Amino acid sequence: KGEKIMITFIVNEASGRGRGGKIWRALRREMLEQELPFRAWCTRSPGEATALAQLTCQDAQELQKLVVVGGDGTVNEVLNGISDFAQIALGVVPIGSGNDFVRGLGLPRDPRAALERVFAASGDARIDLGQVCVDGQAPRRFGISAGIGMDAWVCAQVDASRAKAGLNRLGLGSFSYGLMTLSAAWNLETANGNVTFTTPYGRHRQDLSNLIFLACMNFPWEGGGVPIAPEASAVDGCFSVCFAENLGRSQVFAKLPLLALGRHPHTEGVTLLKASRVEVQLEMPLYVHADGEVPGRARSAVFDVLPQQLRVLV
């Protein structure tokens, strides 16, 4: 029965600085030779994957396997185009620089092995998603993480950087996040404000003094494998929230190696906790991101867990 289910592929051939197109053509040729049932749409511009996901949902009469061939950015676009989570099971053939979504799911990062997993999976497994509402605008879903402050600043700079393109060509795309994190620490932006957490033990509010970043993690890693929240789980109905405040530039530089190694949870100025809702109010706007996609700066952001929202092909 599983072999007869039509699989829809949304393909970003530009992922991995064009590697996506070459890899997809090889995979497509193999599927045609094996007479496997599939259809495929290739994206041509940013945002198109969202529209293609919406079309897939309109066509779905029963469980539909929807597979992204691309990176974390394309996965995020698709997550924001799914309108019927009951009928869609999402898979990923990773072709990107970060690939934190497949890392979080424990999926193969080899495209051919990932494709085999997609065809074999039942689609019964489910994970949490998150959504963020920035300055009262329409909410945006995310699968990996969302945050405000330094990690979002890094995402904004990586997107605008020529360094990422060059490093991608060398197969070192995730290294660009490290370079921009050093730049962010040097050009440190902070803001005062407050945050309200909804936790398994109730709601509590606390003031923020010189907030550096606040990250709501669905998976342990972001930025190409940086373990921001080593204990994060996408099946517990909570974010693992990591935030840092009231640290000087030299202290931030000293803690970056600990962050890269996942040894930061018990260091001064860094807090980790579990929460299903996080409401941030700042006196000055900082950058916000959702799965590395950056809508801009904001003074307020509300992060919510969507428990067991997404079927995944694992």
Side-chain angles (χ1 to χ4, degrees):
K1 182 180 178 181
E3 293 178 353
K4 296 179 181 179
I5 296 176
M6 174 69 72
I7 298 184
T8 299
F9 291 90
I10 295 179
V11 184
N12 182 355
E13 293 184 305
S15 289
R17 303 308 297 177
R19 285 176 56 249
K22 181 179 180 181
I23 293 171
W24 167 246
R25 286 188 291 274
L27 295 177
R28 180 179 181 276
R29 186 165 54 249
E30 291 180 14
M31 287 190 292
L32 289 171
E33 289 172 355
Q34 297 176 45
E35 298 183 348
L36 296 173
F38 75 95
R39 62 178 178 176
W41 289 319
C42 293
T43 63
R44 297 285 180 254
S45 59
E48 191 172 4
T50 298
L52 293 174
Q54 291 170 340
L55 284 174
T56 303
C57 290
Q58 292 172 10
D59 290 345
Q61 301 297 319
E62 54 186 20
L63 181 64
Q64 171 80 54
K65 290 185 175 183
L66 176 60
V67 180
V68 173
V69 181
D72 291 330
T74 310
V75 172
N76 183 263
E77 286 191 18
V78 168
L79 289 177
N80 282 280
I82 297 174
S83 58
D84 187 351
F85 284 94
Q87 298 296 331
I88 296 294
L90 184 71
V92 183
V93 175
I95 307 169
S97 57
N99 297 323
D100 287 309
F101 192 82
V102 296
R103 183 180 284 107
L105 288 177
L107 292 172
R109 275 174 272 173
D110 173 72
R112 188 166 283 100
L115 184 65
E116 291 176 0
R117 185 77 69 89
V118 160
F119 274 96
S122 67
D124 293 332
R126 291 179 179 269
I127 64 166
D128 304 333
L129 290 179
Q131 71 176 20
V132 56
C133 185
V134 178
D135 279 347
Q137 299 173 13
R140 183 171 186 86
R141 300 184 195 119
F142 59 93
I144 303 163
S145 67
I148 189 166
M150 190 170 81
D151 62 333
W153 188 97
V154 170
C155 292
Q157 301 307 312
V158 166
D159 283 347
S161 172
R162 294 180 179 178
K164 183 180 180 182
L167 290 166
N168 273 342
R169 282 192 288 271
L170 297 173
L172 299 171
S174 60
F175 189 64
S176 58
Y177 290 94
L179 292 176
M180 290 304 167
T181 299
L182 292 174
S183 178
W186 182 258
N187 299 284
L188 195 60
E189 295 184 350
T190 64
N192 297 326
N194 65 77
V195 58
T196 301
F197 299 105
T198 301
T199 77
Y201 309 102
R203 281 168 54 88
H204 73 269
R205 179 184 181 277
Q206 73 179 70
D207 292 332
L208 296 169
S209 176
N210 296 315
L211 177 71
I212 297 166
F213 75 88
L214 183 147
C216 293
M217 305 293 297
N218 196 36
F219 290 136
W221 306 277
E222 67 175 17
V226 180
I228 299 290
E231 301 299 319
S233 167
V235 294
D236 64 357
C238 286
F239 297 125
S240 188
V241 184
C242 178
F243 64 99
E245 60 176 332
N246 218 19
L247 297 170
R249 184 186 296 167
S250 61
Q251 291 173 298
V252 172
F253 271 109
K255 291 179 188 297
L256 287 179
L258 299 177
L259 190 71
L261 296 171
R263 297 178 181 173
H264 57 289
H266 304 294
T267 62
E268 181 184 359
V270 179
T271 303
L272 276 92
L273 53 82
K274 292 279 190 177
S276 59
R277 182 177 175 90
V278 181
E279 303 161 73
V280 180
Q281 295 285 337
L282 301 177
E283 295 175 4
M284 297 290 291
L286 296 177
Y287 276 111
V288 179
H289 85 92
D291 284 346
E293 304 300 303
V294 182
R297 294 176 181 266
R299 286 188 173 88
S300 72
V302 179
F303 307 86
D304 285 293
V305 172
L306 306 174
Q308 300 290 289
Q309 181 82 62
L310 180 68
R311 291 176 178 265
V312 285
L313 299 169
V314 296

